[in-house]
Amino acid sequence: MTAVTTDAAAPDARQAGRWVYVSAVALLCAWVLVPLYFLLINTLSSPETVNSFPKPFIPEFDLGSLTFFANFAGMLTALKNSVLVAALTMIMSIAIGAPAGYALSRFDFHGKELFRLLILLTRAFPLPLLALPLAVMFIRTGLDDTVFGLALVHTTLAIPFAVLITFALFSGIPLELEEAAWTLGCTRLTAFSKVVLPLILPGITASAIFAFVISWNEVFAAAVLTIENRTLTAFLLQNLDTSPLHLKFAGGFILVVPALIFIFAVRKYLFAMWGIANR
């Protein structure tokens, strides 16, 4: 009798677990997609509709809010600064992080584990705590209110991710591949460029994506270290109290959509990155 009851209860438990899983996935999707949908509706509606109540559930496909955003004084300059800072951050974080990840993966040296811990600890200090020393140092060195200076700060935020991601990927590529290339007459540099680099390219791309998104969304350092050359996030924060509602929705749309498009466009590299890391 007990065995029959247990066998009958097992499908019910599996069915309940499946419903819990489906409900959790649906809740997570709604948590992410519903705000994005309402952001899209208000961005593609006229300024009058955005400021009215109740809100529509279908966009009007009116470009009045985006036109107002583009014509707002200083907005396009801030958008250009965001693109430049994110691009510089992406380049510098990969140029520094990838060699560090390769060295951690291929060489044994004293303090290796401590070095990895210190890389993680760079994210342990809250950025507001470092704001005053950074501002003073940047003013003394002439890097304040510059695109390059802000890109340096964003690079320090992105480097830990670049180092740890590339370290995991280099560790997933057998050293024997490089050694075989050495026996065939390749130097360490040519073996890396012809054997390892093609395999690691998806991971490099994924690291660049993370660096770009980190810089694109960062607001505190941009607000503290810039005055005239503000990025889009800092510019929107500066005008948050005085700007109209439709400008806020248009600015949020411009901030969210490029990052989403960037990630979806290179999602195959993200999947390839995890495949290499798990080998």
Side-chain angles (χ1 to χ4, degrees), residues 28-143:
L28 180 61
C29 292
W31 181 268
V32 175
L33 296 178
V34 170
L36 292 178
Y37 181 68
F38 280 105
L39 179 64
L40 176 65
I41 289 175
N42 287 280
T43 302
L44 298 181
S45 298
S46 63
E48 293 78 13
T49 303
V50 174
N51 292 280
S52 64
F53 187 84
K55 303 294 184 183
F57 287 92
I58 299 176
E60 297 178 340
F61 297 99
D62 187 296
L63 300 180
S65 297
L66 289 175
T67 303
F68 183 83
F69 171 87
N71 293 329
F72 195 83
M75 193 66 73
L76 292 182
T77 301
L79 180 60
K80 182 189 71 173
N81 291 335
S82 288
V83 174
L84 290 176
V85 171
L88 285 174
T89 301
M90 186 171 58
I91 294 171
M92 290 191 292
S93 63
I94 295 303
I96 298 172
Y102 180 82
L104 286 173
S105 173
R106 291 294 189 257
F107 303 108
D108 290 323
F109 52 89
H110 293 292
K112 178 177 177 179
E113 296 301 322
L114 178 61
F115 181 71
R116 291 178 58 187
L117 179 62
L118 290 176
I119 292 175
L120 288 175
L121 286 179
T122 57
R123 297 307 308 269
F125 297 98
L127 194 56
L129 185 66
L130 304 175
L132 182 59
L134 281 175
V136 172
M137 183 182 68
F138 274 41
I139 291 173
R140 290 179 176 177
T141 57
L143 291 175

Side-chain angles (χ1 to χ4, degrees), residues 15-36:
Q15 186 71 15
R18 189 177 297 111
W19 276 108
V20 171
Y21 175 76
V22 172
S23 301
V25 172
L27 182 62
L28 180 61
C29 292
W31 181 268
V32 175
L33 296 178
V34 170
L36 292 178

Side-chain angles (χ1 to χ4, degrees), residues 151-234:
L152 286 178
V153 177
H154 289 180
T155 301
T156 61
L157 299 177
I159 278 179
F161 295 100
V163 173
L164 295 179
I165 289 174
T166 53
F167 165 72
L169 292 166
F170 282 124
S171 299
I173 298 177
L175 180 60
E176 288 77 9
L177 292 178
E178 289 185 80
E179 292 175 343
W182 298 342
T183 60
L184 295 176
C186 291
T187 63
R188 181 178 289 274
L189 180 60
T190 56
F192 174 83
S193 61
K194 294 182 179 180
V195 177
V196 179
L197 186 59
L199 296 174
I200 204 68
L201 190 59
I204 297 295
T205 305
S207 301
I209 294 168
F210 286 128
F212 183 91
V213 173
I214 288 172
S215 175
W216 184 261
N217 294 328
E218 200 280 327
V219 62
F220 184 81
V224 172
L225 299 177
T226 59
I227 298 176
E228 296 181 358
N229 296 315
R230 291 189 180 274
T231 59
L232 183 58
T233 53

